[in-house]
Amino acid sequence: MLKRLSVAVAAALLASCAVPTSQDKTAGPADDQYQTSGSDTSMQDKAATAQQVANALLKHNSPLQPDAKLTQYDNLWQRIADQMTLTVPNNDDIETQKRFFIRNQKLLKTASDNAEPFLYHIVTELERRKMPLELALLPIVESTYNPKAGSFAGVLGIWQFTPGTGRNFGLKQNAWYDGRRDVIESSRAAMDYLQYLYSNVEQDWLSAVAAFNAGEGRVFKAIERNKYRGQPTDFWSLHLPKQNTSYIPKLLALAELLKKPEKYAIPMPVLANQPQTKVIQINRGLDLVKAADLLNLRVAELRRLNPGFKTTTVPSASYQLVVPFGAADDIDQQIAALPNVKVAPVASTGRYKVKSGDSLSKIAAAHKTSVKALQRANNLNSSQLKIGQLLTIPGLATPDEPAVTARSTQKTTATASAVQTYTVKSGDSLWEIGKKLNVSTAQLSNWNKLGTKAQLKPGQKLTYYTESAQQTTSSAKSMTYKVRPGDSLASIAQRFKVKVADIVKWNNIKTNKYLQPGQELTLYLTS
């Protein structure tokens, strides 16, 4: 369990991570002027271009095998501090943030409790990707490591993802689950996004972090403006709004306090340098109440480890379950032996337009669901409905989210799909390959007659099925779209209900190039 963290950094953790509001988040000299990171309007920009969705950067289930020297640390926070590399300049804004954190040392325990189950995973993954360890402090600035943190702008989770950016980076969102609150999955997505930003902002990590918070379009334009004027393009040379530039001083102030606790008379926080949790794969419906009983945990504790699930029922689809590190080695097999909970497929969510005379109870009865499920799926606080209002109905399939049945695909897809072959690479797992190919682990297992524990070998050939390009385009209407100022791949994809990766594929777009006003894109729209 987590030992006591330094009082000062705790404040740092929590102070800047309160739920964001739409107010200006600029830090001022007075304590009451300190606000949380990034404005809601700027956070909306997080759903900007995400071309590299087509070739995601993470190999998610690669073993956590840190360098032997790193395992010798007793304190995970010390391990982070000793690897920080970003320069912290003498800066009035940074000094203001440091003074604030030093004066506010009351909320550290809450922040450290939030981070404890997941921080080891995040740190190890940052090390594997060779990313700055200061990025482990970003969720402190964003949310105080609180997976339930959100705002009126619709951002959620420890990394404060908008719905659009979350979907672009592979975070599922439906009536039962929101990947933005899943700490392990959202951290994978956040690192993918930050690496993409880093590659597009002159390889300046501070500019990448600013773009993560303020919106990449704003930062990209500031860089292009400086280039045009012959000015430097590092973060400190960019002309950005105050509410955006205050975000970086918060991060660097935290880093400075953590690196030099003696100088600021702040005890170093203490957190065991070992994993507190582990991740297992589930491919079936699951009752978390029964799983918690099996793990000898309170249901609330299991849900705390798995905040992405909105209820105690896990849908019948492929998900990860976070369990205590000390759970039995065969816990995945024990959980697999629990009774299968039959719920509608996670992708089976449809829309219903409210008519005159409708009520929640009437709609629920007609679609074999409950009033509570309807309210939860639509974020309704009351039973009041408006004629013409669109409701999400758990259990109805929409054209862009077809229902999937896991065991019927082997015979049916061969006739309606194109046969493909994938060559296994070193470090691959069925889960990773399924993620790359946009198919489920169960499908890969069925198609190749593999067990769930099958060991893959580099060079091994796997068969899989995908819809052929001819089928996809022949059943869709082709159109040409002319790019307008301010457009991004994500905004165009959202407008026409297509995927960013498909736009990239249809138009052979280079992932390191920006869209240009007047540029023509070919889109295929389903009728």
Side-chain angles (χ1 to χ4, degrees):
M1 290 296 293
L2 175 67
K3 299 189 175 167
R4 295 169 44 197
L5 286 184
S6 139
V7 178
V9 180
L13 298 175
L14 271 188
S16 62
C17 301
V19 176
T21 69
S22 59
Q23 302 171 3
D24 179 9
K25 311 295 197 261
T26 306
D31 288 359
D32 61 358
Q33 292 178 329
Y34 189 88
Q35 311 257 351
T36 61
S37 65
S39 66
D40 286 347
T41 53
S42 66
M43 292 297 294
Q44 296 280 18
D45 290 340
K46 275 193 177 181
T49 47
Q51 298 101 308
Q52 97 294 5
V53 170
N55 53 350
L57 299 167
L58 176 69
K59 289 185 177 178
H60 185 56
N61 274 353
S62 58
L64 297 175
Q65 296 177 340
D67 185 281
K69 293 180 181 178
L70 300 177
T71 63
Q72 296 175 7
Y73 283 98
D74 293 326
N75 184 357
L76 183 58
W77 289 106
Q78 186 68 61
R79 173 173 162 179
I80 294 170
D82 286 356
Q83 295 185 83
M84 291 185 189
T85 56
L86 298 181
T87 301
V88 181
N90 292 322
N91 179 295
D92 289 342
D93 288 338
I94 295 175
E95 292 301 316
T96 297
Q97 300 298 337
K98 283 193 287 190
R99 288 194 297 270
F100 174 84
F101 291 141
I102 291 170
R103 284 196 302 268
N104 294 269
Q105 302 183 16
K106 299 178 182 178
L107 300 176
L108 179 59
K109 189 176 187 308
T110 300
S112 39
D113 283 348
N114 288 340
E116 179 186 8
F118 313 106
L119 187 60
Y120 184 88
H121 292 275
I122 291 171
V123 169
T124 309
E125 184 58 26
L126 288 171
E127 292 167 343
R128 189 185 71 78
R129 296 184 184 223
K130 302 189 185 321
M131 297 172 75
L133 267 291
E134 285 88 345
L135 297 178
L137 306 181
L138 259 187
I140 296 173
V141 177
E142 288 280 11
S143 63
T144 320
Y145 269 98
N146 179 5
K148 296 184 179 179
S151 83
F152 295 114
V155 297
L156 283 178
I158 69 168
W159 299 95
Q160 295 288 275
F161 271 107
T162 62
T165 304
R167 279 188 287 269
N168 286 341
F169 286 86
L171 298 180
K172 300 176 185 176
Q173 298 161 56
N174 52 63
W176 296 274
Y177 170 85
D178 195 323
R180 295 175 296 163
R181 284 181 170 167
D182 182 325
V183 177
I184 301 297
E185 267 295 277
S186 65
S187 295
R188 183 271 310 160
M191 292 181 206
D192 283 351
Y193 191 25
L194 284 163
Q195 285 185 306
Y196 157 69
L197 292 169
Y198 175 71
S199 68
N200 284 278
V201 291
E202 310 292 304
Q203 296 195 340
D204 181 342
W205 279 114
L206 294 185
S207 293
V209 171
F212 184 86
N213 170 253
E216 62 196 68
R218 181 175 287 117
V219 176
F220 288 175
K221 288 176 183 177
I223 290 174
E224 291 302 313
R225 187 163 52 242
N226 278 24
K227 281 183 178 180
Y228 178 77
R229 295 172 178 172
Q231 297 173 346
T233 56
D234 63 285
F235 168 76
W236 299 109
S237 299
L238 301 180
H239 298 283
L240 296 169
K242 180 66 174 178
Q243 65 264 33
N244 304 142
T245 55
S246 66
Y247 184 76
I248 299 299
K250 293 175 189 178
L251 177 66
L252 295 181
L254 280 172
E256 184 76 354
L257 293 175
L258 193 62
K259 281 193 294 187
K260 302 176 181 177
E262 301 87 0
K263 177 179 177 180
Y264 298 101
I266 297 174
M268 167 68 76
V270 176
L271 182 61
N273 182 31
Q274 58 189 30
Q276 303 296 315
T277 54
K278 60 184 178 182
V279 179
I280 61 176
Q281 190 68 30
I282 53 176
N283 299 288
R284 52 193 289 285
L286 179 67
D287 185 342
L288 289 181
V289 175
K290 289 182 170 58
D293 186 59
L294 184 64
L295 289 159
N296 198 25
L297 290 176
R298 292 183 296 110
V299 176
E301 179 60 18
L302 184 58
R303 294 194 68 182
R304 177 194 172 217
L305 298 179
N306 297 274
F309 297 118
K310 297 180 180 180
T311 70
T312 56
T313 301
V314 177
S316 303
S318 178
Y319 285 96
Q320 294 180 109
L321 188 71
V322 179
V323 300
F325 189 75
D329 290 340
D330 65 343
I331 190 61
D332 53 343
Q333 299 173 31
Q334 294 184 43
I335 288 178
L338 290 174
N340 188 19
V341 176
K342 294 182 179 180
V343 296
V346 74
S348 300
T349 305
R351 305 286 274 175
Y352 175 82
K353 183 179 287 188
V354 175
K355 302 173 184 176
S356 177
D358 274 343
S359 66
L360 280 179
S361 59
K362 182 177 179 181
I363 297 170
H367 294 96
K368 298 181 180 181
T369 186
S370 68
V371 171
K372 286 187 177 180
L374 278 175
Q375 289 176 318
R376 184 168 55 247
N378 294 277
N379 295 318
L380 299 177
N381 296 320
S382 71
S383 58
Q384 297 295 320
L385 296 176
K386 295 180 181 179
I387 296 175
Q389 179 179 352
L390 287 175
L391 296 179
T392 295
I393 308 293
L396 289 181
T398 60
D400 57 334
E401 291 186 319
V404 176
T405 53
R407 298 191 179 275
S408 63
T409 53
Q410 188 170 3
K411 293 182 180 179
T412 60
T413 46
T415 58
S417 304
V419 182
Q420 304 285 338
T421 301
Y422 176 84
T423 302
V424 176
K425 300 179 179 64
S426 178
D428 270 349
S429 69
L430 280 179
W431 189 91
E432 292 168 340
I433 296 170
K435 191 86 170 176
K436 292 177 186 176
L437 305 179
N438 198 27
V439 297
S440 70
T441 304
Q443 286 174 314
L444 281 174
S445 299
N446 287 335
W447 291 331
N448 295 277
K449 298 181 180 179
L450 298 173
T452 56
K453 295 289 186 180
Q455 296 294 316
L456 301 180
K457 298 178 181 179
Q460 181 178 348
K461 303 289 186 182
L462 297 181
T463 297
Y464 67 100
Y465 301 93
T466 61
E467 289 187 29
S468 66
Q470 288 183 343
Q471 287 177 325
T472 301
T473 56
S474 64
S475 62
K477 179 181 178 181
S478 172
M479 69 164 288
T480 299
Y481 176 78
K482 184 174 291 188
V483 176
R484 304 169 185 171
D487 272 346
S488 68
L489 284 174
S491 65
I492 295 170
Q494 190 173 35
R495 185 181 310 160
F496 293 101
K497 292 182 169 52
V498 296
K499 296 179 180 178
V500 170
D502 285 337
I503 301 178
V504 171
K505 178 178 64 179
W506 293 333
N507 296 276
N508 194 28
I509 294 173
K510 302 296 184 183
T511 58
N512 60 348
K513 300 293 185 183
Y514 307 143
L515 296 180
Q516 300 295 329
Q519 181 178 349
E520 292 188 344
L521 300 177
T522 298
L523 306 178
Y524 294 95
L525 310 182
T526 56
S527 54

